[in-house]
Amino acid sequence: LPKSAYAAMYRPSFAVYQQALRSRYAMRVAAAKRAGDAAAIDRLETVHRVMPHSLIGSSGLEHTYDRAMGSVRGHVPGAFVECGVARGGCAALLTHVATQSAPARECWYFDSFEGLPDPTEKDLEDGRTGHHIRPLPKGSCLGTIEQVSELLFDEFGYDREDVHLVQGWFQDTLPVTREAIGPVALLRVDGDWFDSTYCVLTQLFDQVSDGGAVIIDDYWSCHGARKATDQFLAERGVETELVPDGRGGMSFIKPRGVAAVAA
């Protein structure tokens, strides 16, 4: 389609598509309630509630929920950290799981709150940045800090003392904030591009606890995210299983004994 026609059709069509997915997902919630499975109900209800505020999709949200709950049940020490918050749906899900800990875990959410930066040459393969249903120009995936704050603190009612929103580009905010974060039980990286992904891994991977989870949201859908992750893991000699999330991302568990690199 011509660019103008595509732009005019995309937004309303995608809204209808998202609503259809959410309606279909509601059937799974109802089935879990009929079965009386408390754990499944919490998982499905949480995913269903945050779906309107997320571009991740139900399988990605479920995968994130499972990794986060695994950290809680496995008593992996540390905070939950997401770099690339967009409209805050996944942050709301992670914060919900964090409240299941005793005591509740701190959550740290980093974003420019200006949308994506421009990709670079490192993000391109055959002139494309990845496998997307639409182009991702500068400013895409935008969620404002006001929008995310309203979702987390007003709609979901989370405690502001345990949830930290940090605005700015990763290369500026992570070096001056990582010490305050401390150990990390789960690190979710949703920066799309090479520089963003590599920056987060470089700054925070050493703080991920042994047995902690690292999620790369766009590993198979964005060339830059995959290249950055592969390069970082190779440089650090990390060998671990990459587990697909069913919609273009993946996660892995940090093995024991990975030596830290001096800052």
Side-chain angles (χ1 to χ4, degrees), residues 71-263:
S71 294
V72 172
R73 292 171 178 161
H75 305 288
V76 179
F80 289 165
V81 180
E82 182 178 42
C83 296
V85 178
R87 292 182 290 162
C90 193
L93 179 147
L94 285 172
T95 308
H96 170 78
V97 177
T99 64
Q100 310 301 306
S101 289
R105 296 167 187 258
E106 288 193 351
C107 296
W108 292 81
Y109 301 125
F110 294 82
D111 202 291
S112 68
F113 296 106
E114 297 179 23
L116 289 173
D118 284 321
T120 69
E121 287 296 320
K122 289 176 283 188
D123 296 300
L124 300 177
E125 287 186 5
D126 298 325
R128 297 173 59 87
T129 57
H131 308 289
H132 317 300
I133 61 172
R134 65 185 178 98
L136 294 177
K138 183 178 181 179
S140 297
C141 306
L142 173 65
T144 67
I145 194 168
E146 293 80 11
Q147 182 181 20
V148 176
S149 295
E150 182 178 351
L151 177 67
L152 297 179
F153 304 127
D154 297 334
E155 182 171 337
F156 279 79
Y158 294 133
D159 190 339
R160 292 176 182 268
E161 292 187 3
D162 294 326
V163 179
H164 310 274
L165 299 180
V166 184
Q167 183 172 15
W169 302 108
F170 298 154
Q171 65 266 27
D172 299 324
T173 57
L174 292 176
V176 297
T177 311
R178 63 185 183 186
E179 185 174 342
I181 298 172
V184 175
L186 180 143
L187 173 61
R188 191 171 193 284
V189 188
D190 191 359
D192 290 37
W193 308 144
F194 181 100
D195 288 341
S196 301
T197 303
Y198 191 79
C199 176
V200 175
L201 291 173
T202 301
Q203 292 293 327
L204 294 179
F205 181 79
D206 284 338
Q207 292 177 218
V208 177
S209 300
D210 289 347
V214 178
I215 300 173
I216 309 295
D217 179 76
D218 306 292
Y219 182 80
W220 277 292
S221 56
C222 289
H223 302 317
R226 187 193 72 250
K227 291 177 185 177
T229 304
D230 290 350
Q231 178 176 319
F232 179 84
L233 294 179
E235 290 172 347
R236 298 296 302 275
V238 177
E239 296 183 3
T240 184
E241 180 185 8
L242 307 184
V243 181
D245 70 358
R247 41 77 59 193
M250 69 84 179
S251 68
F252 62 87
I253 298 299
K254 182 179 180 179
R256 296 186 180 277
V258 177
V261 173

Side-chain angles (χ1 to χ4, degrees), residues 27-110:
M27 299 172 63
R28 293 182 59 189
V29 178
K33 289 182 176 180
R34 289 193 297 270
D37 186 339
I41 291 170
D42 183 76
R43 180 178 185 260
L44 294 170
E45 280 192 329
T46 303
V47 170
H48 186 251
R49 189 178 179 190
V50 305
M51 282 176 72
H53 311 285
S54 176
L55 297 172
I56 296 170
S58 59
S59 62
L61 291 168
E62 289 173 352
H63 190 81
T64 299
Y65 180 99
D66 293 342
R67 283 304 200 192
M69 191 60 75
S71 294
V72 172
R73 292 171 178 161
H75 305 288
V76 179
F80 289 165
V81 180
E82 182 178 42
C83 296
V85 178
R87 292 182 290 162
C90 193
L93 179 147
L94 285 172
T95 308
H96 170 78
V97 177
T99 64
Q100 310 301 306
S101 289
R105 296 167 187 258
E106 288 193 351
C107 296
W108 292 81
Y109 301 125
F110 294 82

